[in-house]
Amino acid sequence: MIHLKLKRKLPYKPTERMNVVSYPIRDIVMEAKREEAKGKKMIYLNIGDPPQYDFKPFGVIADRVKSALDENYKGYAPSEGDEDLRNTVAKIEKCRPEDVFAVAGLTEGIDFFFHSFIGFGEKVLLPNPAYSLYLSKAKQFEGDSIFYRHDADGQIDIGNLAKKIEGAKAMVIINPNNPLGAVYSEKNLSEVVKLCAEYDVPIFYDGSYDQLIFEGNLIDFRKIARGKVPFIYGSSLSKNFNNPGARIGWVAFHGDKWDEVKNAFFLLCNQRLSVNWEYQKAAAAAITDPSYPAYVTDIRKKLLERRNAFMKITRNMPLQYPVPNGAFYAFIKIETPKWKKDLEFVRAALKEGVVFVPGSGFGRQEDGVYFRTTFLPKPHIIEEAFDKIRRIL
Ligand SMILES: Cc1ncc(COP(=O)(O)O)c(C=O)c1O
């Protein structure tokens, strides 16, 4: 009895499964909050959350949310997604509504993809660097992450990919890439598709930022890949529509080999019942609204201005990064020898009042010390932040 009493006093322990759960983009905020509690003013450049700065969500979304609530869309929606949303996405994707699933942000689509398709020890090709969630999910579902490289122009290094592709269960492409801001060209993607078709490797295409390309044309991956290789196209309201709080995303399956995986998606969708119905109605309205092209053209222009201001501010600093042509991040290498570990640098920046994400949160960087910043805030905020870190470089 005494023994039992003593045991109860110990704190409960989470399961071992938790050892691989991480999300460096937000994990760093806990440390930032501790600095803030000491009275330090913090500038948060760790996350790509447009409404936190001065980017307004596409207005059609809030209007349609209100009317959908008036229409009493307050219950559980169909687990696999609202009919209107599935029909609308299917038209854009040129697939059938049954091939489309609504998810709680593309985050959930990524989770379901790994859960349903990547088994123990199975190879999944990821870009290096890659959006942190892919690294974490691959670990969580015990897949084997294989990293493919970029060439000097920020394109997928085809030679490198060719050496790694054999036996892969799937390949993930993020275009524009987070954190690099690289935009893969049609030619580059055609070469990737050719290789994937040769080795029968399906593609998970993350189009979270596909409308946010600054210079050059938008890329339609479906046109490049359709009929050549099976793929899943995912996107959401978060970035292209500046409304991450909506928590609405979608995935569309392309090709005729997915029936059993779609069934697995169905089961996963059933298990969590539904995604916010009123926001699904809003997504269906937003995606096809005739005022969206003008809205997103303005957003692209504003992002380009922010990127240019960011480059001007950091021009004379010992920082090196590929010029981002999409999304809203820069993946920066520190050119001075002072810092040996990215987390030490990020912690020193925290002490100065600036929150970044360490480069290792996006995969192992072997040739130096990296961190990621967003360039979403107004230039005077970026200037203040980079003035603060100038002295620690
Ligand atoms: C490349 C990429 N994919 C997916 C996501 C997930 O976004 P959400 O769940 O808000 O759609 C993000 C979020 O930052 C991202 O950068």
Side-chain angles (χ1 to χ4, degrees), residues 104-107 110 131 174 178 206 208-209 236 238-239 247 329:
L106 190 55
T107 298
I110 296 167
Y131 172 55
I174 310 167
N178 172 9
D206 183 328
S208 290
Y209 303 88
S236 78
S238 300
K239 317 293 179 171
R247 306 312 301 134
Y329 313 97

Side-chain angles (χ1 to χ4, degrees), residues 23 28 63 107 131 164 188 213 234 288 305 308 331 390:
Y23 188 68
I28 196 73
D63 292 345
T107 298
Y131 172 55
K164 296 176 174 169
N188 189 232
I213 295 175
T288 46
E305 281 164 16
N308 289 344
F331 194 61
R390 198 183 294 272

Side-chain angles (χ1 to χ4, degrees), residues 26 28 42 84 86 95 121 128 153 157 160 181 193 223 246 282 289 294 315 327 342 349 353 381:
R26 275 247 157 117
I28 196 73
M42 301 304 273
D84 281 348
R86 293 179 93 200
C95 63
N128 188 11
D153 299 323
D157 181 334
N160 180 256
V193 163
K223 261 196 197 155
D289 192 88
R315 194 172 42 197
D342 57 355
I381 299 173

Side-chain angles (χ1 to χ4, degrees), residues 236-298:
S236 78
L237 290 185
S238 300
K239 317 293 179 171
N240 289 329
F241 295 82
N242 286 321
N243 203 341
R247 306 312 301 134
I248 296 292
W250 50 89
V251 292
F253 286 83
H254 293 262
D256 56 9
K257 293 187 177 173
W258 292 114
D259 283 354
E260 289 181 46
V261 180
K262 278 191 285 182
N263 198 40
F265 254 69
F266 226 90
L267 297 176
L268 290 166
C269 287
N270 277 347
Q271 213 176 38
R272 61 83 168 107
L273 288 170
S274 130
V275 177
N276 306 344
W277 208 341
E278 72 282 15
Y279 269 104
Q280 290 192 65
K281 288 289 180 200
I287 292 171
T288 46
D289 192 88
S291 68
Y292 179 70
Y295 166 83
V296 80
T297 301
D298 284 351

Side-chain angles (χ1 to χ4, degrees), residues 110-121:
I110 296 167
D111 180 59
F112 285 2
F113 171 66
F114 279 86
H115 200 152
S116 62
F117 197 57
I118 303 297
F120 177 78

Side-chain angles (χ1 to χ4, degrees), residues 17 20-22 111 133 135-143:
R17 285 195 295 275
V20 293
V21 174
S22 74
D111 180 59
L133 187 68
L135 311 177
S136 185
K137 287 294 160 191
K139 281 191 194 144
Q140 214 174 316
F141 293 105
E142 303 181 283

Side-chain angles (χ1 to χ4, degrees), residues 24 40 89 187 193 201 209 226 254-255 317-318 342 352 392:
K40 185 116 214 148
V89 172
K187 181 172 168 285
V193 163
V201 177
Y209 303 88
R226 190 174 289 120
H254 293 262
M317 296 178 76
D342 57 355
E352 299 298 321
I392 61 165

